[in-house]
Amino acid sequence: QERAVKDYLVSIGFKEAARRHVRNMGDAPRTGEFCGESKVGTRKADISLRLYDGRLMPIECKVSNSSLNSVKRINNDAAVKAVQWLREFGTENVIPVAVIRGVFNVPNLIQAQNNGLVLYWSHRLDDLGAFVNPVKDKMP
């Protein structure tokens, strides 16, 4: 799933950069770039994307084969990371995202969203693209 997200990001104009430890915004990939699995603050992200407006989007790629498993994948992993990234980087600097595929319990998804995690389905990556790409057109 990570490869599919990376390939999609490249297809809409983002460039892949070297992995790194993102301790602060200065360590993040350049605007319009992303890197693979890297530590963002104190937690690892599958992909770290720097949006055209300068914000950081750590992305978790999660697959679940059952609604019971979805608690572990979303609430106990991705949503916990989202809360930590928001605390470490601030709500104006980071947009935690999970790209999901499979079977998920709806209340678990709602709880994750209430904790600041933005969700995109892997079969609808164009929804992610609609959010990250229009900002490029507004840059000077």
Side-chain angles (χ1 to χ4, degrees), residues 2-129:
E2 289 174 42
R3 174 61 19 213
V5 174
K6 287 179 179 181
D7 289 347
Y8 179 77
L9 291 172
V10 167
S11 78
I12 62 171
F14 286 88
K15 293 182 176 36
E16 187 164 5
R19 294 167 49 173
R20 78 242 2 246
H21 182 179
V22 181
R23 292 174 288 276
N24 57 54
M25 293 301 287
D27 295 330
R30 291 180 173 181
T31 301
E33 293 184 350
F34 68 91
C35 59
E37 186 179 64
S38 298
K39 203 168 190 182
V40 176
T42 57
R43 305 296 301 259
K44 281 188 182 176
D46 294 328
I47 299 168
S48 297
L49 172 67
R50 187 72 173 267
L51 299 174
Y52 292 108
D53 66 3
R55 291 179 292 174
L56 179 63
M57 181 182 277
I59 301 172
E60 285 289 288
C61 298
K62 297 295 175 193
V63 177
S64 174
N65 295 319
S66 72
S67 60
L68 181 62
N69 189 38
S70 72
V71 175
K72 178 182 175 190
R73 299 281 178 241
I74 287 295
N75 300 93
N76 296 343
D77 188 13
V80 170
K81 289 179 180 184
V83 169
Q84 189 67 29
W85 290 325
L86 289 164
R87 184 178 305 125
E88 292 175 345
F89 290 88
T91 58
E92 298 296 319
N93 293 311
V94 69
I95 303 171
V97 166
V99 174
I100 58 176
R101 183 180 76 214
V103 180
F104 288 87
N105 190 358
V106 172
N108 294 340
L109 297 177
I110 293 169
Q111 181 182 358
Q113 289 175 315
N114 288 339
N115 284 325
L117 186 64
V118 178
L119 302 173
Y120 291 100
W121 288 99
S122 65
H123 68 279
R124 294 184 53 162
L125 288 177
D126 285 338
D127 292 340
L128 174 65

